[in-house]
Amino acid sequence: IPLVHRPGEAQMDFGYALAKVNGVLRKVAFFVMSLPFSDAVYVQVYEKICTEVFWDGHVRAFAFFGGVPCRISYDNERVMVAKVLLNHKRKLTDGFLQLQSHYLFKEHFCNVRSGNEKGVVESMVRYTRSNFMVPVPEVRSLDELNRKLEERCRVELDRTLRGKVKTKGQLLEEERSRFIDLPTVPFEACRVRSVAASSLSLVRFECNDYSVPVRYAHYETVVKGYIDRVEVFRGDGRIGVHPRLWGKEGVHFDPVHYLA
């Protein structure tokens, strides 16, 4: 069992906590990436755990750390692992492979029900819930909460752990020499679907409908689903932008689309 952590390696996990968003108390998912060598951590909250959330968390964490860890440890979450195979092998999801092929980090998956194999980030999930989310945060939106969480992560870099001489930020500076450089073109954290607009000028993405101008009814469109918005394209142009709906069977109309 390794008793030291090599620089340039990371661990990632999801957790859940309570937050009062726009006056409503609700459970939110949060993404945590931790660097065991420097003990730097990055935290963001999301509506739920899905592929685009997994992507977005990595993109933001890599930008915060100033590089890509050369090796990242994970559990066997569905957004990453399609199937657990024999001899510690995994059939990875397309979403995970897309992210990995862009940033070129190596993956390590824990054994099933063996969270202790990435104990640092498991502890950070509990630390985040107890210290970042207590008392229950009251915010107008998740964006506001994420800004506060990122600032809290920056404050954490000034801390010096017991038994260490240097701060987390100073150790992170040393660790960056082991990181993979960020690619010139950032990864676009959105899912792309080809969808035909209905007779009501609606396109469907993840069980919800979004309007497009009436002249595009019955035409094929390309839908990009981000964590905060849905964009619709036809040819080379964007024909619609909507806030992302996270429920089911919801509809978001832009009245301008129907003026014709």
Side-chain angles (χ1 to χ4, degrees), residues 57-252:
H58 280 75
V59 172
R60 296 189 188 202
F62 296 158
F64 179 81
F65 293 137
V68 181
C70 56
R71 180 178 183 266
I72 306 177
S73 295
Y74 300 96
D75 57 16
N76 297 280
E77 195 79 43
R78 287 183 181 179
V79 295
M80 298 167 267
V81 177
K83 187 175 182 181
V84 178
L85 306 175
L86 297 176
N87 301 320
H88 304 287
K89 294 182 179 180
R90 303 288 188 275
K91 181 181 178 182
L92 303 178
T93 62
D94 290 342
F96 183 89
L97 293 173
Q98 289 176 45
L99 183 76
Q100 187 182 46
S101 64
H102 191 86
Y103 288 108
L104 305 178
F105 58 86
K106 294 181 180 179
E107 82 284 359
H108 166 255
F109 287 97
C110 301
N111 289 311
V112 179
R113 293 183 291 276
S114 299
N116 57 292
E117 295 180 8
K118 54 176 180 58
V120 173
V121 74
E122 294 277 348
S123 298
M124 276 299 179
V125 168
R126 294 191 293 271
Y127 178 84
T128 297
R129 187 184 295 114
S130 301
N131 292 273
F132 293 12
M133 308 291 238
V134 174
V136 174
E138 297 187 27
V139 293
R140 291 184 295 271
S141 67
L142 292 187
D143 286 339
E144 179 185 342
L145 180 54
N146 277 333
R147 288 192 294 270
K148 292 181 178 181
L149 289 173
E150 184 164 322
E151 182 58 33
R152 183 66 184 270
C153 292
R154 295 190 189 282
V155 172
E156 284 285 314
L157 294 177
D158 295 328
R159 288 184 58 208
T160 302
L161 293 179
R162 183 183 301 174
K164 299 284 184 71
V165 176
K166 298 180 179 179
T167 65
K168 294 183 180 184
Q170 292 170 329
L171 292 172
L172 177 59
E173 284 295 331
E174 294 180 7
E175 193 170 15
R176 286 197 178 110
S177 63
R178 304 293 184 90
F179 285 171
I180 302 168
D181 292 336
L182 288 168
T184 305
V185 179
F187 184 83
E188 192 173 24
C190 68
R191 275 194 289 173
V192 182
R193 296 284 185 270
S194 179
V195 182
S198 71
S199 60
L200 297 177
S201 298
L202 297 173
V203 296
R204 172 152 285 213
F205 180 80
E206 291 297 298
C207 303
N208 294 292
D209 293 322
Y210 304 89
S211 67
V212 296
V214 291
R215 63 181 177 275
Y216 296 110
H218 305 292
Y219 281 91
E220 286 290 333
T221 65
V222 174
V223 181
K224 290 185 174 183
Y226 298 83
I227 62 165
D228 58 344
R229 68 191 187 279
V230 171
E231 298 184 357
V232 188
F233 295 83
R234 170 71 182 170
D236 296 329
R238 189 174 66 181
I239 61 175
V241 183
H242 301 271
R244 176 76 181 265
L245 301 178
W246 287 98
K248 290 186 177 181
E249 304 304 325
V251 182
H252 192 274

